[in-house]
Amino acid sequence: REAARAGARAGPPPKRRGRAPTGDRGEVAARQATPAGPAPRLAGKQPEAKPTKAKRSEAKQTKAKQTEAKQTKAKQTEAKPTQAKQTEAKRPEAKPTKAKRSEAKQTEAKQPGAKQLAAKPTQAKQTEAKQTKAKQTEAKQTKAKQTEAKQLAAKQTDRRAGRARRAETISAQELVARGVPRPTIQGWLRQGVLDATDARGRYRVTPEARARLEGYGAR
């Protein structure tokens, strides 16, 4: 203790004269002389703290609201031109002024034949339509006459055919006169060579009967 007190009284030891230590020795001396303290912080960005669950949900809600706001704004922007068009369509047309009406009357008075010229094509169309209708009526009448003529010709043909059918009949006396015996006549009726008619003793001649009668005539 006495030595320490004596040293404190004497003061700090005298500094050595000469060059400062260089190289590794100087660095070691500097480190030894520098008091140890907290480690220095590294320069650069520090890692950010992770957001909590509440902050993440809040960020999602904010983002959803922003998106919804953008969509609403886009719809409003699209609706504006439509509203403008509807407003424009609703606006009544401007009525012509008194000066324009008088000018139109004067123009109409100067050109009195304009309406007549416009009416002429209509009259021409009406005349053409009447002519077309008359032609169609005439064609229908001609067709009806032709149909009537065909019907008359068909009736006349039927009458001639009926007369020819009537002429193709023969009586029993004529058959006997040609040499056909009465039992043979009855046999022809049963065989269908002769057809009976409504008149008694008169028969319709068939092609087969005609052929057989030719054979009797050859005899």
Side-chain angles (χ1 to χ4, degrees):
R1 288 180 183 176
E2 290 178 359
R5 286 177 185 174
R9 288 176 185 174
K15 294 181 180 179
R16 294 179 181 180
R17 293 181 181 180
R19 295 180 182 179
T22 58
D24 294 339
R25 291 179 182 179
E27 290 178 4
V28 171
R31 287 177 186 176
Q32 289 176 357
T34 306
R41 294 183 179 180
L42 297 173
K45 293 183 179 180
Q46 298 295 330
E48 296 180 358
K50 292 183 179 179
T52 60
K53 192 173 182 179
K55 286 185 178 180
R56 287 199 297 270
S57 63
E58 187 178 354
K60 284 183 182 180
Q61 290 176 0
T62 307
K63 193 172 182 180
K65 286 180 181 179
Q66 289 176 356
T67 307
E68 189 176 354
K70 285 181 181 179
Q71 290 176 356
T72 307
K73 192 173 181 181
K75 286 180 181 179
Q76 290 175 356
T77 308
E78 289 178 2
K80 280 182 182 179
T82 308
Q83 290 177 358
K85 286 180 181 178
Q86 290 176 356
T87 307
E88 189 176 352
K90 286 180 181 178
R91 286 178 184 172
E93 295 180 0
K95 293 182 180 180
T97 59
K98 193 172 183 180
K100 286 184 179 180
R101 287 199 296 271
S102 62
E103 187 178 352
K105 285 181 181 179
Q106 289 175 4
T107 307
E108 189 175 349
K110 287 179 182 178
Q111 299 175 354
K115 289 185 178 180
Q116 295 177 359
L117 290 171
K120 280 183 180 179
T122 308
Q123 291 176 358
K125 286 181 180 179
Q126 289 177 354
T127 308
E128 188 177 353
K130 286 180 181 178
Q131 291 176 355
T132 306
K133 194 172 182 180
K135 286 180 181 179
Q136 289 176 353
T137 306
E138 188 177 354
K140 285 180 180 178
Q141 290 175 355
T142 306
K143 195 173 182 180
K145 287 179 181 179
Q146 289 176 355
T147 306
E148 189 176 354
K150 284 180 181 179
Q151 290 176 355
L152 289 172
K155 286 181 181 179
Q156 290 175 359
T157 305
D158 291 342
R159 287 175 186 173
R160 288 173 187 171
R163 288 173 187 171
R165 286 172 188 170
R166 288 173 190 171
E168 290 178 358
T169 58
I170 192 169
S171 64
Q173 293 177 358
E174 290 174 353
L175 289 170
V176 171
R178 287 191 179 187
V180 180
R182 288 185 181 278
T184 305
I185 295 171
Q186 294 299 323
W188 286 2
L189 284 170
R190 286 194 298 270
Q191 294 171 4
V193 177
L194 291 173
D195 292 335
T197 61
D198 295 336
R200 187 177 178 182
R202 193 151 195 90
Y203 312 107
R204 189 174 292 108
V205 181
T206 63
E208 189 176 354
R210 194 177 293 110
R212 292 188 184 187
L213 285 172
E214 286 177 2
Y216 274 95
R219 290 177 188 174

